[in-house]
């Protein structure tokens, strides 16, 4: 059942004892909308808990500055920024068919939840959550704003991508007016690299390969590179966007080796190719310009599978 | 003489035959405010020309899509985003003491102009120019908006830095509503790297040195690196911000060798050190968090001079 913003706010006001589920390999938007919702529910005197199948990366610690966990038995399951069952992650997968409400902006959402608030034109789930918070008549405070700004900023590459609308900028202005320190958030999200991360980037850039007359650039992040550089597997975000930044490249691919084998594919595209469509043919999904899938194959086979799928989208032979 | 926004607009409406001077080593803010002003003056039926001591980098070509040059003898000299006499560049230096109006946001402005509109709290000169255009009662069109958005975006690192205010986001929303393609502008400004640029970045990252227990990171861009990578000297922007991105670093330094010898210093700092103050002691200037100067010295001596100046700011011994 599709809900509107107002129906979603009414549902949240009418229920209690929330379990808020964020997606595996958590990013700024799922955590921002999850904890943002927690602060809003808390302001209404409700009980809630935010959970994630994977560990929350340290750099997001500031989102939890006013968060605490209470002991209660969950009654209402809410999933945020969570497009499909497999993104619940191993630990939380059992909840996938018990979700009472899903709030999401991914057009590829598989409609697994009993109630769905879906706005594919929103730059981030956090952008929708700001409307939900307003409709719940919760006053915007700096805890909520810090969370929602984080999702808005991270899902738009700091207001850089095509998903940004005038509304996104006006929302950022409103959130900023609560007095939050956006520059520090952005520095943490975008401009903080460990020395190890610099090492990894150098290795990755040496692995770069070009296909289709330089229109596709592909990088691989192997377990060996992670080991050598000392970068944890869950701290490679941003690397996926490196190949598409090269002049003349309209499809950028990152293949990241998983600990138990196989490669996670991240696809970033320009106008020419629909990333979500390509990844759908490989069992994944996402957005038009940024999507992903998993290929349980050795590196060279995974490359070939991916290149074939892109080739079909280009309408060209490899 | 200090002017207000309204006085500036009145001055522009009352005069004609403008020579609009942008600063040497032109960036998005000086070009954006210069060409933005040209489109506004042109809409009022006035004659104007935009000039720069250095060549305009190719990637800014889209700012000129509606621009053309007419033959006329300039009567009114306007300098935009131009903080000091030496920034006019060699070719335009003779105009430095003939400037009728300067519009600028650099707190270090040396007040060389007869009339000065200075707003150090504006994120970009383009942010002030939007107010000037409004006060001139020129309707915002996509040509003007494309220029002003470019300065707003480039001077804030795409809305990432501490100079962004809610006003900046609301201005971005307004400019966006003219229908300009901000994502393409941002991709050109921030996310387009030639293969040569990638080569240069790898070389530069290998040159990195740490001082003051890892609080200061320093990189050098030598003429040899530029030659080897094939990157033109005027296309190294963005590299200056790499060292400060490393975890634990609060002062990032880039020393760039000039063709005729000597090093241009770019300083990027966090809260601890005032970049503008440090560079002032070395004959330069700029903003609190980003400033520059020129040291006519060989590399090792230039490093030492710079480290001494930062050491004084830290209040610590080398």
């Amino acid at each position: 059942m599709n809900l509107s913003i107002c129906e979603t706010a009414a549902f949240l006001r009418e229920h209690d004892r929330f379990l808020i589920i964020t997606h595996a390999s958590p990013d700024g938007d799922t955590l921002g909308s999850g904890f943002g919702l927690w602060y809003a529910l808390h302001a209404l005197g409700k009980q809630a808990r935010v959970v994630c199948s994977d560990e929350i990366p340290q750099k997001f610690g500031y989102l939890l500055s006013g968060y605490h966990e209470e002991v209660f038995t969950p009654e209402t399951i809410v999933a945020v920024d969570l497009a499909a069952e497999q993104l619940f992650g191993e630990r939380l997968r059992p909840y996938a068919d018990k979700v009472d409400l899903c709030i999401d902006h991914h057009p590829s959402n598989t409609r697994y939840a009993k109630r769905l608030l879906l706005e594919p034109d929103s730059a981030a789930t956090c952008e929708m959550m700001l409307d939900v918070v307003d409709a719940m008549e919760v006053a915007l405070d700096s805890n909520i704003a810090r969370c929602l700004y984080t999702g808005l900023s991270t899902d738009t590459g700091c207001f850089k991508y095509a998903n940004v609308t005038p509304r996104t900028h006006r929302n950022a202005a409103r959130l900023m007016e609560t007095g939050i320190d956006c520059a520090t958030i952005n520095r943490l999200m975008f401009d903080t690299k460990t020395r190890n991360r610099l090492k990894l980037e150098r290795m990755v850039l040496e692995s770069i390969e070009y296909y289709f007359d330089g229109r596709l650039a592909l990088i691989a992040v192997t377990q060996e590179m992670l080991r050598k550089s000392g970068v944890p597997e869950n701290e490679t975000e941003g690397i996926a966007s490196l190949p598409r930044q090269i002049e003349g490249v309209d499809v950028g691919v990152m293949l990241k080796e998983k600990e138990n084998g196989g490669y996670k594919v991240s696809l970033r595209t320009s106008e020419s190719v629909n990333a979500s469509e390509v990844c759908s043919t490989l069992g994944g999904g996402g957005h038009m310009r940024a999507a992903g899938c998993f290929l349980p194959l050795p590196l060279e086979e995974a490359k070939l599978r991916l290149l074939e799928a892109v080739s079909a989208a280009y309408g060209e032979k490899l």
Side-chain angles (χ1 to χ4, degrees), chain A:
Chain A
M1 180 169 65
N2 289 319
L3 296 196
S4 67
I5 294 279
C6 286
E7 287 164 345
T8 302
F11 176 88
L12 291 166
R13 290 194 72 106
E14 283 159 15
H15 290 75
D16 201 351
R17 308 201 164 186
F18 294 91
L19 189 70
I20 303 170
I21 303 181
T22 59
H23 66 65
S25 303
D27 62 10
D29 197 25
T30 199
L31 295 174
S33 48
F35 286 102
L37 177 58
W38 186 89
Y39 289 114
L41 292 169
H42 192 71
L44 293 174
K46 294 183 186 288
Q47 290 190 300
R49 188 182 302 144
V50 180
V51 290
C52 185
S53 188
D54 296 321
E55 210 184 324
I56 296 175
Q58 253 194 338
K59 66 171 184 176
F60 291 114
Y62 69 91
L63 297 177
L64 284 74
S65 59
Y67 176 80
H68 59 266
E69 294 207 338
E70 293 162 339
V71 182
F72 67 92
T73 307
E75 284 170 5
T76 318
I77 315 289
V78 181
V80 288
D81 196 45
L82 221 165
E85 293 89 330
Q86 70 269 24
L87 301 174
F88 279 72
E90 213 176 328
R91 205 164 63 81
L92 299 174
R93 185 63 189 262
Y95 287 104
D97 59 358
K98 295 182 184 69
V99 175
D100 298 296
L101 168 67
C102 171
I103 303 177
D104 188 24
H105 74 128
H106 294 90
S108 61
N109 190 291
T110 60
R111 303 183 166 274
Y112 58 84
K114 288 175 207 154
R115 294 167 197 82
L116 175 63
L117 171 62
L118 180 69
E119 285 186 358
D121 291 336
S122 286
T125 298
C126 279
E127 187 153 60
M128 305 164 59
M129 197 60 84
L130 180 56
D131 288 341
V132 171
V133 169
D134 284 342
M136 285 164 77
E137 295 180 11
V138 171
L140 206 56
D141 65 17
S142 58
N143 278 325
I144 299 175
R146 217 174 275 120
C147 291
L148 301 189
Y149 180 87
T150 297
L152 215 55
S153 169
T154 54
D155 254 30
T156 58
C158 210
F159 309 97
K160 200 161 52 183
Y161 301 147
N163 58 352
V164 174
T165 64
R167 171 188 169 215
T168 314
H169 277 296
R170 293 210 170 87
N171 284 337
R174 266 193 73 200
L175 295 169
M176 209 168 190
E177 275 164 349
T178 63
I180 58 171
D181 182 353
C182 297
T184 298
I185 292 174
N186 291 328
R187 202 181 167 205
L188 265 169
M189 294 297 114
F190 299 103
D191 284 347
T192 305
K193 291 180 179 180
T194 60
R195 296 194 195 184
N196 288 346
R197 166 73 181 233
L198 277 185
K199 254 191 250 174
L200 178 64
E201 286 190 13
R202 252 189 284 166
M203 283 188 243
V204 164
L205 289 179
E206 278 158 26
S207 83
I208 202 158
E209 292 174 11
Y210 297 93
Y211 297 91
F212 302 107
D213 289 327
R215 290 177 63 189
L216 183 149
L218 180 150
I219 55 175
V221 178
T222 63
Q223 286 289 323
E224 195 195 346
M225 288 179 189
L226 294 172
R227 225 170 16 248
K228 274 193 186 165
S229 63
V231 174
E233 196 183 308
N234 65 349
E235 290 179 17
T236 59
E237 75 298 320
I239 290 187
S241 59
L242 294 179
R244 220 216 44 176
Q245 295 179 5
I246 299 161
E247 208 170 31
V249 170
D250 59 9
V251 177
V253 181
M254 178 181 79
L255 293 165
K256 187 164 89 170
E257 189 176 13
K258 300 299 288 180
E259 217 178 329
N260 302 319
Y263 284 82
K264 191 177 174 297
V265 177
S266 297
L267 202 65
R268 300 282 184 277
T269 64
S270 310
E271 308 69 40
S272 52
V273 170
N274 186 324
S276 177
E277 272 178 28
V278 172
C279 287
S280 294
T281 69
L282 299 169
H287 302 283
M288 284 235 303
R289 304 273 171 265
C293 62
F294 177 73
L295 297 174
L297 298 167
L299 183 55
E300 291 308 316
E301 285 177 46
K303 276 186 201 173
L304 201 62
R305 267 303 272 292
L306 191 275
L307 290 172
E308 281 167 359
V310 175
S311 174
Y314 273 143
E316 277 177 22
K317 286 211 182 85
L318 254 183

